[in-house]
Amino acid sequence: MELQIKQQNEFQYVEEGSGEVLLLLHGLFGALSNWQDVVAEFSTDYRVIIPLLPIYDMPLTKAGVPGLVQFVEEFLAEIGLTEPCTVLGNSLGGHIALVYALRNQARVSRLVLTGSSGLFEDSMGGSFPKRGNYSYVQERVAYTFYDPAVATRELVDEVFNVTNSNAKCLRIISIARSAQRHNLAKDLHKIQVPTLLVWGLNDTITPPVVAHEFSRLLPKAELRFLDHCGHAPMMERPQEFNQLLRQFLVKNQTTVKVVD
């Protein structure tokens, strides 16, 4: 399915379906399309919302995890969403979801994290970005997945174009450093909502040991691993990811209370 992007003031987002809200947050090099299979599967019985995070064009002074959490809060206020929702985040999106949950406990009913930063990540190997070196970018994008074929030409082109822009690179570096600084280990015990951790056994960016640490620190976490899968399970193993997500949502059904 082709995702239709809506615009409301400065916010761009996808919104499909109706019912209980699933709020999806993409990662640092992510895009709305990362969640395509989740939207296709769940928009039949949920209201699926994905804001386009302003990673490449937010003011440099705000380019970090707190600035992105604030952006999500402003976006939800803009579209008038007040009821508690299930927040899903991949990679940096998981980090934003965790900080959002810590700041807005009454507005989060469940959390789903996959390849989340917040405890540790090997962000593009530390030496990133190398400008103008296509094969390097290709290699790093492929490194995200277990199967390098998932790193399509289109995906590599997208990241390559980003890395060729000085302004975008500055923001990426600023956000990546902010993610490394904002370690959440001491705060995770405060998150008391059911949390599903879906991790690729072959994730090289946030390795399985990170998933075990999240599972230990989050009071209501359940951890599921997918084999032959890297840093973005919802892209690389969409059917298995959706199946785990559906089981989790059904098992932890919520009664929706509107928060003023």
Side-chain angles (χ1 to χ4, degrees), residues 20-127:
E20 195 188 337
V21 174
L22 303 182
L23 177 68
L24 277 41
L25 302 173
H26 63 77
L28 190 56
F29 286 91
L32 302 173
S33 61
N34 293 176
W35 293 106
Q36 205 148 345
D37 292 293
V38 174
V39 178
E41 168 74 23
F42 288 92
S43 57
T44 51
D45 42 358
Y46 288 87
R47 182 181 170 200
V48 184
I49 299 174
I50 323 173
L52 182 59
L53 300 174
I55 283 166
Y56 308 132
D57 45 21
M58 66 196 301
L60 198 51
T61 51
K62 287 193 163 184
V65 173
L68 286 163
V69 173
Q70 188 185 341
F71 175 87
V72 170
E73 291 168 343
E74 288 167 0
F75 164 70
L76 295 176
E78 175 69 34
I79 65 168
L81 186 75
T82 53
E83 73 261 27
C85 55
T86 299
V87 187
L88 293 81
N90 172 236
S91 195
L92 173 74
H95 202 155
I96 297 165
L98 286 163
V99 179
Y100 176 80
L102 285 163
R103 282 175 39 166
N104 303 274
Q105 301 233 12
R107 291 179 186 263
V108 177
S109 54
R110 295 171 287 214
L111 273 174
V112 180
L113 306 173
T114 178
S116 179
S117 61
L119 291 177
F120 164 85
E121 78 284 346
D122 171 16
S123 62
M124 282 299 211
S127 60

Side-chain angles (χ1 to χ4, degrees), residues 6-243:
K6 298 183 174 186
Q7 176 105 25
Q8 193 161 318
N9 289 329
E10 77 269 34
F11 299 102
Q12 288 186 306
Y13 62 103
V14 166
E15 183 177 2
E16 299 284 349
S18 61
E20 195 188 337
V21 174
L22 303 182
L23 177 68
L24 277 41
L25 302 173
H26 63 77
L28 190 56
F29 286 91
L32 302 173
S33 61
N34 293 176
W35 293 106
Q36 205 148 345
D37 292 293
V38 174
V39 178
E41 168 74 23
F42 288 92
S43 57
T44 51
D45 42 358
Y46 288 87
R47 182 181 170 200
V48 184
I49 299 174
I50 323 173
L52 182 59
L53 300 174
I55 283 166
Y56 308 132
D57 45 21
M58 66 196 301
L60 198 51
T61 51
K62 287 193 163 184
V65 173
L68 286 163
V69 173
Q70 188 185 341
F71 175 87
V72 170
E73 291 168 343
E74 288 167 0
F75 164 70
L76 295 176
E78 175 69 34
I79 65 168
L81 186 75
T82 53
E83 73 261 27
C85 55
T86 299
V87 187
L88 293 81
N90 172 236
S91 195
L92 173 74
H95 202 155
I96 297 165
L98 286 163
V99 179
Y100 176 80
L102 285 163
R103 282 175 39 166
N104 303 274
Q105 301 233 12
R107 291 179 186 263
V108 177
S109 54
R110 295 171 287 214
L111 273 174
V112 180
L113 306 173
T114 178
S116 179
S117 61
L119 291 177
F120 164 85
E121 78 284 346
D122 171 16
S123 62
M124 282 299 211
S127 60
F128 185 80
K130 283 189 183 177
R131 294 186 65 199
N133 185 335
Y134 191 84
S135 61
Y136 177 78
V137 170
Q138 195 168 22
E139 187 188 306
R140 298 308 300 184
V141 174
Y143 180 71
T144 306
F145 305 104
Y146 171 76
D147 177 4
V150 182
T152 58
R153 180 74 194 246
E154 193 184 3
L155 206 56
V156 176
D157 285 351
E158 222 171 276
V159 176
F160 181 70
N161 291 335
V162 168
T163 63
N164 263 339
S165 154
N166 254 344
K168 289 178 180 178
C169 272
L170 280 173
R171 282 156 181 78
I172 288 165
I173 291 165
S174 174
I175 292 167
R177 284 183 182 154
S178 163
Q180 284 169 333
R181 276 199 311 275
H182 284 82
N183 188 296
L184 300 175
K186 293 191 302 296
D187 297 311
L188 294 179
H189 69 277
K190 298 174 194 164
I191 296 178
Q192 295 289 333
V193 295
T195 305
L196 174 65
L197 304 167
V198 182
W199 237 260
L201 266 176
N202 313 91
D203 187 339
T204 50
I205 294 169
T206 47
V209 64
V210 178
H212 283 296
E213 190 65 358
F214 270 119
S215 181
R216 188 177 72 79
L217 293 169
L218 286 158
K220 293 188 177 173
E222 59 179 88
L223 173 56
R224 298 285 178 268
F225 282 112
L226 294 175
D227 201 1
H228 300 128
C229 181
H231 190 54
M234 72 289 177
M235 292 173 75
E236 198 162 14
R237 286 270 173 269
Q239 282 168 303
E240 294 94 326
F241 181 87
N242 285 345
Q243 198 178 353

